[in-house]
């Protein structure tokens, strides 16, 4: 339920702060709204990992909209300006993969561009 998302995200933020010792202490209203609007197909586990990633990426006391992973930001209704932001984000270094690698250093993480598909 969407009304449960923010309390859960805040719980996961406090939990991640103990584990990672990040500086972010709260979500900005824009970031909170995006989290509530997202469908969370990976359920609670996806929310928890996303909050950890945002904590790693946050450079201020507040987790801002730009700290929310692009795949969650673009899940809203797309407008031309949002389409432009999406392509700009794809050109920037993938901070989300880096953050994930810091949380799970033993994982074999590849960006989609590194993945090669073989045809039979």
């Amino acid at each position: 339920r969407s009304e449960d998302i923010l309390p859960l995200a805040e719980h996961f933020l406090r939990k991640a702060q103990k584990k990672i010792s990040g500086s972010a202490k709260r979500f900005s209203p824009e970031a909170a709204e995006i989290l509530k609007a997202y469908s969370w197909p990976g359920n609670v586990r996806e929310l928890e990992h996303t909050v950890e990633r945002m904590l790693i990426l946050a450079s201020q006391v507040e987790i801002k909209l730009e700290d929310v992973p692009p795949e969650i930001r673009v899940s809203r209704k797309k407008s031309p300006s949002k389409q432009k932001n999406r392509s700009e984000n794809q050109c920037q270094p993938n901070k989300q993969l880096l953050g994930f690698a810091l949380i799970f250093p033993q994982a074999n993480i590849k960006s989609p561009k590194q993945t090669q598909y073989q045809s039979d």
Side-chain angles (χ1 to χ4, degrees):
R1 299 181 328 188
S2 63
E3 62 267 11
D4 295 334
I5 297 299
L6 202 51
L8 279 170
E10 290 168 348
H11 166 76
F12 291 139
L13 179 61
R14 288 188 301 276
K15 181 179 173 184
Q17 285 170 333
K18 293 175 185 173
K19 179 178 171 183
I20 301 168
S21 68
S23 62
K25 298 196 180 349
R26 64 182 173 273
F27 297 99
S28 72
E30 297 84 12
E33 195 59 40
I34 293 293
L35 293 176
K36 288 193 297 187
Y38 187 65
S39 65
W40 299 105
N43 214 334
V44 176
R45 192 177 227 174
E46 181 184 6
L47 175 62
E48 182 175 16
H49 292 165
T50 300
V51 169
E52 287 178 356
R53 289 169 53 189
M54 290 187 297
L55 179 62
I56 289 170
L57 296 175
S59 58
Q60 299 178 11
V61 175
E62 190 173 69
I63 292 178
K64 300 196 175 286
L65 183 60
E66 56 267 14
D67 299 318
V68 178
E71 63 271 14
I72 293 174
R73 277 186 272 153
V74 299
S75 69
R76 297 182 295 172
K77 292 182 180 176
K78 295 180 175 99
S79 68
S81 64
K82 291 176 188 146
Q83 291 282 354
K84 182 181 175 192
N85 288 340
R86 182 178 181 199
S87 64
E88 288 172 0
N89 286 335
Q90 290 172 343
C91 295
Q92 294 176 356
N94 197 330
K95 291 181 180 179
Q96 286 73 29
L97 282 177
L98 181 59
F100 190 77
L102 291 171
I103 295 170
F104 302 102
Q106 70 278 16
N108 184 10
I109 301 169
K110 294 182 179 180
S111 75
K113 292 179 182 176
Q114 293 174 320
T115 306
Q116 294 179 357
Y117 299 96
Q118 297 176 347
S119 59
D120 293 335

